[in-house]
Amino acid sequence: AQSVTQLGSHVSVSEGALVLLRCNYSSSVPPYLFWYVQYPNQGLQLLLKYTSAATLVKGINGFEAEFKKSETSFHLTKPSAHMSDAAEYFCAVSESGGNQGGKLIFGQGTELSVKP
Amino acid sequence: DTAVSQTPKYLVTQMGNDKSIKCEQNLGHDTMYWYKQDSKKFLKIMFSYNNKELIINETVPNRFSPKSPDKAHLNLHINSLELGDSAVYFCASSQKGTGGYEQYFGPGTRLTVT
């Protein structure tokens, strides 16, 4: 069965500092991996996705993530945090084949706070 | 022009009532989903439909009944509401491509059962 673990339910950084949100996954088949962001009282917005084309994936708002198969990780980074990055971030996995209809298995989420 | 829309955005009701949440997508996608986000913000899939056919039913109580009149709509009807049903319900849609199923989410419906 697939699963996702996000280390740290809450991460706090200063404005301009590096953002690192950790995600480890478990999957018996090649996975598709996603990072979503949720701003307060809003739906989920896709930041970026890994689909096996490239291990370093660039997304919106300056975020990127690197797929490391040996570490079963897909950590999200941003070189310099902005106040507007404060939100909840979710890592998710889905199977690349089968008849699971692309269902997403989510991690528990990481709340990012950005201090002035 | 909203891609995935849900109505209502907020729903407050009493235990034992029956309520429905509607979802519509204008992206031309074949697959639609319902997810539940609990008070700890944990997201879990409930149902998925592909071209009006149910393909995923994640051991959700049978008080929850999804209905897809066409591939652009997926509604969720909940009978005999319980306190534990209080949550945010998200609809999503996707189309299978080379990048798997990239899902687009609606704004959510916050259901409060009193």
Side-chain angles (χ1 to χ4, degrees):
Chain A
Q2 295 178 308
S3 66
V4 176
T5 301
Q6 292 182 238
L7 292 175
S9 58
H10 188 217
V11 170
S12 181
V13 300
S14 297
E15 194 172 19
L18 171 72
V19 175
L20 171 60
L21 304 182
R22 300 178 186 272
C23 172
N24 288 88
Y25 71 92
S26 171
S27 179
S28 58
V29 298
Y32 291 129
L33 293 160
F34 306 84
W35 275 100
Y36 283 86
V37 61
Q38 184 180 26
Y39 298 103
N41 297 315
Q42 293 188 27
L44 281 76
Q45 180 182 7
L46 181 68
L47 276 177
L48 49 79
K49 63 180 181 182
Y50 166 76
T51 59
S52 78
T55 56
L56 184 60
V57 181
K58 294 189 184 299
I60 62 171
N61 301 338
F63 284 94
E64 63 181 38
E66 186 173 9
F67 172 72
K68 291 187 177 181
K69 184 178 179 180
S70 61
E71 299 177 8
T72 60
S73 69
F74 190 56
H75 301 331
L76 182 71
T77 60
K78 182 173 180 177
S80 176
H82 294 166
M83 296 296 292
S84 60
D85 294 326
E88 191 84 21
Y89 291 80
F90 293 94
C91 182
V93 64
S94 72
E95 288 188 359
S96 57
N99 61 351
Q100 290 294 300
K103 76 174 185 181
L104 291 174
I105 305 298
F106 284 91
Q108 66 270 45
T110 297
E111 182 181 2
L112 176 66
S113 300
V114 182
K115 299 175 291 188
Chain B
D1 200 21
T2 304
V4 182
S5 59
Q6 295 179 229
T7 54
K9 187 168 176 62
Y10 299 97
L11 186 53
V12 181
T13 188
Q14 292 184 329
M15 285 174 51
N17 285 348
D18 303 337
K19 290 293 179 185
S20 292
I21 306 172
K22 296 187 176 183
C23 177
E24 176 181 3
Q25 54 96 2
N26 63 7
L27 298 167
H29 290 167
D30 288 335
T31 307
M32 296 184 73
Y33 311 80
W34 278 111
Y35 288 86
K36 179 180 180 180
Q37 185 174 45
D38 64 22
S39 58
K40 295 185 179 179
K41 298 191 177 179
F42 183 67
L43 281 151
K44 184 171 167 53
I45 190 164
M46 301 173 69
F47 302 103
S48 176
Y49 271 74
N50 180 265
N51 271 326
K52 302 192 297 177
E53 180 183 349
L54 180 67
I55 55 173
I56 296 174
N57 183 341
E58 289 285 308
T59 60
V60 177
N62 57 17
R63 297 183 296 103
F64 290 79
S65 53
K67 292 231 174 13
S68 181
D70 55 62
K71 74 174 192 177
H73 296 84
L74 179 61
N75 304 323
L76 183 65
H77 187 76
I78 315 170
N79 290 326
S80 303
L81 279 154
E82 301 177 356
L83 292 176
D85 298 330
S86 295
V88 182
Y89 293 85
F90 287 101
C91 177
S93 73
S94 71
Q95 183 75 19
K96 187 175 183 182
T98 55
Y101 292 83
E102 178 178 323
Q103 295 187 24
Y104 294 79
F105 284 78
T109 295
R110 182 174 295 276
L111 171 64
T112 303
V113 182
T114 61

